[in-house]
Amino acid sequence: MTREQITGVVLAGGRARRLGGIDKGLLEYRGRPLIRYALQALEPVCGEILINANRNLADYRRFGHPVVPDSLPDFQGPLAGILAALGRARTPCLLVVPCDSPRLSATLLARLPAALDDGHDIAIAHDGQRLHPVVMALRTHLADDLAAWLAAGHHKIDRWAGRHRWTAVDCSDHPDAFLNVNTPEDFHGAP
């Protein structure tokens, strides 16, 4: 799959309850906003990048990429952000990353769309011990199915993915890439 066939999305639309509701994508981490790390990892892999955000939209727009809020109300989770991005993507593949994983790299992320070439609809990163469902590539034709899943009141990424042809992508050579900054302790203590 070529770069022009991939749209990337950074999920920055959550409530960040564990950080007291602060919009974590905009928080400084090692001298720059946390979202910058995600954008930097996506740029070599994706022809277009979207930012899924539900607050501080003007602040996110200053990063130079289209900002796509959830189309569903009440912060319904990562799948709602993915659905919003699917509604905007004009490519056959959507590459999804969270805004709070500053160690993800373009080299690692490129493995996910490549796994779709083997006939899968969804490719999810696996660090050798567990899946990371918010680091995934998926075919954009799944938009209607995802909309129906959410309309039925379901919100679990792994359960939705399990209904499709999916694969785990081996990223065990970089297990530290999946560090999440979710709490004040993580944010201040993460190397």
Side-chain angles (χ1 to χ4, degrees):
M1 198 168 291
T2 67
R3 184 174 180 267
E4 291 72 31
Q5 294 175 303
I6 304 167
T7 299
V9 62
V10 181
L11 299 178
R15 290 186 180 169
R17 286 187 215 112
R18 289 177 279 186
L19 281 170
I22 296 170
D23 200 335
K24 80 172 132 175
L26 299 174
L27 287 175
E28 292 278 320
Y29 176 77
R30 293 188 157 198
R32 46 189 196 149
L34 202 50
I35 193 170
R36 277 261 187 238
Y37 295 92
L39 294 171
Q40 180 179 340
L42 287 172
E43 284 167 354
V45 183
C46 303
E48 180 180 28
I49 299 173
L50 307 172
I51 298 171
N52 167 247
N54 293 309
R55 304 178 287 159
N56 303 306
L57 304 185
D59 291 330
Y60 280 111
R61 283 187 190 104
R62 71 184 169 94
F63 293 100
H65 298 283
V67 176
V68 182
D70 290 356
S71 55
L72 303 173
D74 303 326
F75 295 87
Q76 293 189 34
L79 283 178
I82 292 168
L83 180 63
L86 287 171
R88 174 70 184 261
R90 301 291 173 252
T91 59
C93 176
L94 182 69
L95 180 57
V96 180
V97 298
C99 70
D100 61 358
S101 294
R103 294 183 181 170
L104 291 173
S105 69
T107 303
L108 192 72
L109 293 178
R111 296 176 188 180
L112 298 164
L116 298 182
D117 290 337
D118 293 333
H120 297 97
D121 289 324
I122 300 172
I124 300 174
H126 192 282
D127 68 8
Q129 295 190 12
R130 68 183 198 93
L131 286 172
H132 293 273
V134 292
V135 182
M136 72 156 64
L138 65 150
R139 295 194 182 277
T140 54
H141 70 73
L142 296 173
D144 290 342
D145 181 81
L146 179 54
W149 178 257
L150 288 165
H154 305 294
H155 297 96
K156 297 280 188 185
I157 295 176
D158 52 348
R159 289 189 184 157
W160 176 71
R163 299 173 61 241
H164 301 281
R165 292 175 302 170
W166 75 278
T167 188
V169 176
D170 183 8
C171 300
S172 60
D173 55 335
H174 296 287
D176 293 342
F178 300 96
L179 165 83
N180 288 113
V181 180
N182 286 317
T183 66
E185 294 76 25
D186 292 340
F187 196 85
H188 296 295

